[in-house]
Amino acid sequence: MPAVVVLGAQWGDEGKGKATDQLGSRVDYVVKFNGGNNAGHTVVIDGEKYALHLLPSGILSPGVTPVIGNGVVIDLTVLFQEIDALDVRGVDTSRLLVSANAHIIPPYNRTIDKVTERFLGKRRIGTTGRGIGPTYADKISRVGIRVQDLFDEHILAQKVEGALDQKNHLLVKVYNRRAITVEETVADLLAYAERLRPMVADTALILNKALDEGKTVLFEAGQATMLDVDHGTYPFVTSSSATAGGACTGSGVGPTRIDRVVGVIKAYTTRVGEGPFPTELLDDTGEWLRKQGGEYGTTTGRPRRCGWYDAVVARYSSRVNGLTDLVVTKLDTLTGLAKVPICVAYDVHGTRYDEMPFDQSDVHHAVPVYEELDGWWEDITACRTFDELPVNAQRYVLRLEEISGTRVSAIGVGPGREATIVRHDLLG
């Protein structure tokens, strides 16, 4: 029985939640291993839409144990808001486990995130202002607050005091904001301690034992490959490891235990926030894609930047993640186009790049090299086998497979859980 990583192969919003949810009924554990509530998954079940931000998608699958791993940063207010919202809708949230080693987003980091982004002006990164980056910075600087710290008030106060010694100087002297007190921060965090306590566990031990027992564990990434802090379009990235390697560091499961790595990729491309985006369409076609695909952020509501499929990104993602499978989502969005362009390479000042340039400046100046395929007009949302797709839609998928370097194992043709064509078993 496998350990499977599911991750985004572009800049996010590819439909990872749906892919994870589809596998949910066949797995025992679903682990979120990175990020925080700065990203969201939308899952549609029997016409009901569920928007998840911090919780793993597996929480919607009966019998699955959802796990928030040590690589996640947790906003406790958001966590319990999400839990309460699901409880009201009859979703069982009692199985949720939270790593004792996961870091908590303290209120002062939300403040710092927002004022820093405003201070950067034109150099802003495009963060969601939810304190994610500052909390990961605290983690690396070894002044972070972990879940386990909530259960020792003395230790918690010491750590908060140590963090605020520096941060208050920044808030008061640089950003002209009021100082934040240790007492108010500690009180804010302790308010959640007793409710959180039953969920907290040594999740790394639990997951390794589960694999020893032959159970199936699915690792669910937040954000996506091109937003990875090491391998993305730095500095316009998130603050955590959204690639397959992050599944190991963010969960405590070793790399030799991972069997499959599934990349989720849209039939076109989107991104939110600042940074390079070679295939971006700043015209009526881009707006058409946005409207057809409903491309607005699950978490922020921000309109997503839209562009054509980028095979350079797909090949890069396949390489840095060691992808075994691709899940192509939102193929139905492209219905109605006479021609569907695919970016097969970049032109940078007259030089052709078939692989991602290592120099960030070259990525900024990359001009896409396109090939065009014939489009289709037929409604494909009811298709459930590959052969049921129009011939031109089949050719499009096969071409994506050919130039992306990884087999296409599933195709999304609509928002619902059932609107998927399966070509290869992702757990087989």
Side-chain angles (χ1 to χ4, degrees):
M1 300 293 284
V4 179
V5 179
V6 175
L7 51 83
Q10 295 162 317
W11 278 281
D13 309 307
E14 301 94 345
K16 297 180 292 295
K18 180 184 176 185
T20 303
D21 173 69
Q22 287 174 325
L23 295 170
S25 61
R26 302 171 58 198
V27 303
D28 300 292
Y29 292 81
V30 174
V31 186
K32 182 167 183 176
F33 62 80
N34 78 297
N37 58 305
N38 55 337
H41 298 318
T42 300
V43 179
V44 180
I45 303 173
D46 298 329
E48 289 278 322
K49 182 182 289 188
Y50 297 86
L52 304 175
H53 306 280
L54 188 55
L55 293 170
S57 299
I59 203 159
L60 299 173
S61 299
V64 172
T65 300
V67 178
I68 294 178
N70 59 274
V72 177
V73 292
I74 302 171
D75 185 319
L76 294 172
T77 302
V78 173
L79 175 65
F80 289 114
Q81 284 175 347
E82 284 196 35
I83 289 172
D84 291 342
L86 291 179
D87 286 342
V88 166
R89 298 176 70 177
V91 176
D92 179 14
T93 60
S94 64
R95 304 178 310 279
L96 177 66
L97 297 177
V98 178
S99 171
N101 290 340
H103 281 244
I104 289 170
I105 301 173
Y108 49 76
N109 277 346
R110 291 194 294 272
T111 300
I112 286 173
D113 198 1
K114 291 172 184 174
V115 297
T116 301
E117 188 75 351
R118 283 198 291 269
F119 185 79
L120 287 171
K122 291 181 180 179
R123 294 178 292 111
R124 66 188 183 275
I125 295 169
T127 77
T128 58
R130 286 164 166 78
I132 309 296
T135 301
Y136 276 113
D138 283 357
K139 178 178 180 177
I140 300 304
S141 298
R142 294 164 299 217
V143 293
I145 311 297
R146 298 197 293 179
V147 165
Q148 58 186 275
D149 297 329
L150 292 184
F151 310 118
D152 187 325
E153 186 173 347
H154 179 67
I155 291 291
L156 177 62
Q158 281 186 330
K159 290 193 171 186
V160 170
E161 183 177 16
L164 285 177
D165 277 347
Q166 178 195 53
K167 294 177 188 295
N168 274 332
H169 284 289
L170 184 66
L171 285 171
V172 174
K173 296 178 181 178
V174 177
Y175 298 129
N176 196 30
R177 296 298 179 109
R178 75 170 182 87
I180 297 172
T181 69
V182 173
E183 291 74 20
E184 66 183 297
T185 302
V186 169
D188 185 285
L189 296 175
L190 285 179
Y192 299 98
E194 290 312 308
R195 187 175 180 190
L196 184 64
R197 190 187 293 270
M199 307 173 189
V200 178
D202 185 346
T203 54
L205 178 62
I206 290 169
L207 293 172
N208 278 282
K209 283 187 173 180
L211 291 171
D212 290 340
E213 294 166 3
K215 294 181 178 177
T216 303
V217 179
L218 191 152
F219 300 87
E220 174 188 30
Q223 290 81 44
T225 298
M226 300 308 293
L227 294 177
D228 183 273
V229 69
D230 286 294
H231 303 290
T233 47
Y234 189 90
F236 305 100
V237 294
T238 193
S239 302
S240 61
S241 298
T243 42
C248 299
T249 58
S251 68
V253 171
T256 58
R257 311 209 71 166
I258 305 298
D259 298 290
R260 306 289 281 276
V261 182
V262 178
V264 184
I265 198 163
K266 272 180 187 164
Y268 50 102
T269 312
T270 63
R271 80 169 294 175
V272 171
E274 308 300 320
F277 183 2
T279 68
E280 183 174 13
L281 296 167
L282 300 172
D283 56 13
D284 290 343
T285 304
E287 184 61 31
W288 182 87
L289 275 177
R290 185 177 297 115
K291 290 180 178 178
Q292 287 291 109
E295 296 297 349
Y296 300 89
T298 303
T299 297
T300 63
R302 288 186 291 183
R304 296 173 185 146
R305 300 159 64 189
C306 296
W308 298 121
Y309 187 89
D310 190 329
V312 180
V313 165
R315 288 193 291 271
Y316 177 76
S317 187
S318 179
R319 172 161 51 87
V320 300
N321 289 297
L323 296 183
T324 59
D325 302 84
L326 278 176
V327 174
V328 175
T329 62
K330 304 190 86 164
L331 184 65
D332 53 302
T333 299
L334 300 180
T335 298
L337 292 169
K339 296 287 184 179
V340 188
I342 301 172
C343 171
V344 294
Y346 297 154
D347 181 286
V348 183
H349 304 308
T351 300
R352 179 183 171 111
Y353 286 81
D354 292 299
E355 298 292 343
M356 182 66 64
F358 69 84
D359 190 319
Q360 188 71 55
S361 295
D362 288 340
V363 180
H364 273 280
H365 294 103
V367 176
V369 177
Y370 286 118
E371 68 175 52
E372 286 190 337
L373 277 69
D374 291 329
W376 60 93
W377 299 90
E378 301 90 335
D379 181 2
I380 65 172
T381 55
C383 297
R384 295 297 177 266
T385 67
F386 189 71
D387 290 341
E388 290 175 348
L389 288 173
V391 171
N392 285 346
Q394 292 182 33
R395 288 173 178 164
Y396 184 75
V397 172
L398 292 175
R399 183 59 179 148
L400 298 192
E401 183 175 65
E402 180 182 11
I403 61 178
S404 300
T406 305
R407 71 177 187 179
V408 174
S409 293
I411 305 157
V413 293
R417 174 186 273 179
E418 74 291 342
T420 304
I421 294 169
V422 177
R423 297 179 72 216
H424 306 285
D425 186 356
L426 294 173
L427 295 180

